């Protein structure tokens, strides 16, 4: 693969090259996945969103589960919420 790094974006040459993890093919360059989405590499036109209970930041190659004591009821989010007083999220 041939990549020329331009800040956080990658320019790729040819139709058979795939973008690295955390990015997707957007026209002629690899763009970072938006917060709440991920890519293990090779995504085209956008990145799949993280499911409820998980989160990701910009350019993440995968989603991560919310830490103990936090939750995220909505898919496609960049963080988790602290559980209200008197409640918990054990996993």
């Amino acid at each position: 693969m041939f990549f020329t790094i331009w800040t956080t974006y990658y320019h790729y040459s040819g139709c058979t090259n795939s973008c690295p993890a955390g990015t997707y093919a957007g026209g002629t360059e690899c763009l970072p996945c938006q917060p709440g989405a991920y890519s293990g590499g090779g995504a085209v036109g956008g990145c799949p969103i993280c499911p409820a209970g998980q989160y990701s930041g910009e350019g993440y190659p995968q989603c991560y589960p919310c830490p103990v004591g936090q939750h995220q009821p909505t898919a496609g989010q960049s963080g988790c919420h602290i559980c209200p007083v008197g409640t918990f999220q054990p996993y």
Side-chain angles (χ1 to χ4, degrees):
M1 282 196 274
F2 170 76
F3 292 99
T4 303
I5 300 174
W6 297 337
T7 65
T8 59
Y9 301 98
Y10 298 89
H11 176 78
Y12 63 95
S13 161
C15 297
T16 60
N17 293 332
S18 62
C19 292
T23 66
Y24 68 95
T28 61
E29 58 188 15
C30 296
L31 303 172
C33 294
Q34 67 276 16
Y38 69 98
S39 168
V44 176
C47 300
I49 64 170
C50 295
Q54 297 185 11
Y55 71 96
S56 73
E58 181 177 315
Y60 278 34
Q62 66 186 50
C63 299
Y64 295 93
C66 291
V68 172
Q70 297 184 22
H71 71 105
Q72 181 47 262
T74 308
Q77 301 301 305
S78 62
C80 299
H81 305 287
I82 295 174
C83 292
V85 174
T87 65
F88 69 98
Q89 199 287 73
Y91 50 88

